Amino acid sequence: MSERIEDFLNSPAAREMLENVGRYLRVQCGVITPTNKVGPGDVKMTAIHAALTYMDNFVQDIIALKLTETAPSIRLILEEKSQVRKLSLLEPYCGSVLIDPIDGTAEFVAGGKDFSILICLLKDGQPKISVGYYPFGDHILDNGKCADDLPETKILACHYRINHGEDGGWGGHLRRQGYETPCNGQGFATNLTAAQMVIDGRADALVFPYTAAHDAIAPAHIVAQHGGVARRYALGPKWSSSTRQPFTFADVEQDHNRDEGSSRVRVIAARSNGCLDEIESILGTA
């Protein structure tokens, strides 16, 4: 039954669904007031997290309902609280879908255009298909080809935690090695744009140091779907080739019963293995 979701995400019906919610988002962009969001204990609250709006829940539930209609026993791993998630607890297991209804919510609230919808289908931990959708421009990013034969940029599109908390030292270390590290709120707003930067050759890689699965897996997998390479690493104080893991997420699927949010992961996606090897080596000396 996960094949039904995969077929759906590749179909004109999925585009129509995304276009429909995109219309609502374009109308509401910049004109609604955010509510207060209480984040998980391991997240330092910022304007990005506090900018929860009712549109997050609205978009999430429209997509979730459509997916459960397509495959009633699909597991839903959702960023926001939802009663729809309880509809997907049927057997037999047929896979899981991560949904981030508005990635770049602070941008959306401020009236900017750099926000997106992220969807990733997992089956037995394996990412099967990932889709990113920009409501402005009505543009879907899923499969394609990375720009070839381009020189290294020494730019890494990073999740903002590369500069915060236990992960903050890595950002400084990368910059001392000559890399630029634009991140959420400083260089781009949605993580989908980080993937687009890698695909277009404007960045060598995207780096997620300690990030919610619904934020990180789809963008990294989209780079892989364009012919790049994506790797996962163990969480903890060290980060190098020695902590590399298979790019699979059975643990994320097993954690699908949480009311909101998703497990934390650490991943990098790059245009080439050589580029990723170099980043690994540098991070390993931090």
Side-chain angles (χ1 to χ4, degrees):
M1 289 180 69
S2 65
E3 290 78 10
R4 294 183 188 176
I5 296 290
E6 194 165 354
D7 290 343
F8 171 76
L9 290 175
N10 282 312
S11 74
R15 172 173 281 279
E16 182 180 7
M17 173 191 70
L18 291 169
E19 288 173 350
N20 286 336
V21 296
R23 291 188 188 99
Y24 283 103
L25 289 169
R26 289 192 293 272
V27 168
Q28 294 287 350
C29 179
V31 299
I32 58 177
T33 303
T35 60
N36 292 321
K37 179 177 181 178
V38 178
D42 61 352
V43 172
K44 180 181 179 180
M45 294 301 290
T46 68
I48 292 174
H49 294 101
L52 171 68
T53 75
Y54 65 86
M55 288 301 296
D56 294 76
N57 299 83
F58 174 73
V59 171
Q60 174 181 271
D61 284 359
I62 286 180
I63 296 172
L65 281 167
K66 186 64 178 179
L67 295 180
T68 55
E69 288 175 5
T70 304
S73 61
I74 197 77
R75 295 175 182 171
L76 298 173
I77 305 172
L78 307 176
E79 181 180 11
E80 314 298 347
K81 288 184 177 180
S82 174
Q83 293 300 310
V84 179
R85 185 186 62 80
K86 297 179 181 178
L87 300 177
S88 65
L89 302 180
L90 304 175
E91 295 294 342
Y93 158 79
C94 74
S96 306
V97 177
L98 289 86
I99 302 172
D100 191 339
I102 308 178
D103 186 62
T105 312
E107 177 87 351
F108 170 67
V109 170
K113 297 181 178 181
D114 188 25
F115 62 92
S116 69
I117 299 169
L118 301 175
I119 303 172
C120 178
L121 171 65
L122 300 172
K123 180 66 182 296
D124 297 322
Q126 296 281 350
K128 306 298 288 185
I129 182 170
S130 294
V131 175
Y133 173 71
Y134 289 102
F136 279 97
D138 192 27
H139 174 55
I140 291 178
L141 189 63
D142 46 17
N143 294 287
K145 191 167 179 18
C146 285
D148 287 332
D149 301 324
L150 294 175
E152 289 188 6
T153 65
K154 288 295 183 180
I155 296 172
L156 304 178
C158 300
H159 186 269
Y160 73 90
R161 288 191 72 131
I162 199 77
N163 298 316
H164 291 277
E166 294 181 359
D167 299 332
W170 285 314
H173 185 67
L174 288 166
R175 289 186 289 275
R176 287 191 293 273
Q177 303 304 313
Y179 283 94
E180 296 179 42
T181 57
C183 60
N184 313 63
Q186 296 179 327
F188 58 88
T190 172
N191 295 300
L192 186 62
T193 296
Q196 185 78 71
M197 290 169 65
V198 177
I199 292 165
D200 292 346
R202 290 177 288 141
D204 296 334
L206 59 86
V207 182
F208 294 101
Y210 177 81
T211 312
H214 59 262
D215 287 327
I217 297 177
H221 188 227
I222 285 170
V223 172
Q225 288 178 163
H226 280 73
V229 57
R231 297 178 188 168
R232 183 182 185 184
Y233 303 84
L235 299 177
K238 294 186 180 298
W239 186 346
S240 68
S241 59
S242 65
T243 66
R244 192 189 303 171
Q245 300 178 330
F247 192 72
T248 59
F249 303 92
D251 56 320
V252 173
E253 284 202 87
Q254 291 163 4
D255 204 23
H256 74 281
N257 281 322
R258 60 166 67 200
D259 284 339
E260 59 185 310
S262 58
S263 306
R264 298 306 192 255
V265 297
R266 177 177 289 163
V267 299
I268 304 178
R271 282 185 284 158
S272 68
N273 279 300
C275 175
L276 219 165
D277 288 344
E278 179 179 344
I279 297 167
E280 274 185 7
S281 176
I282 291 171
L283 287 168
T285 63

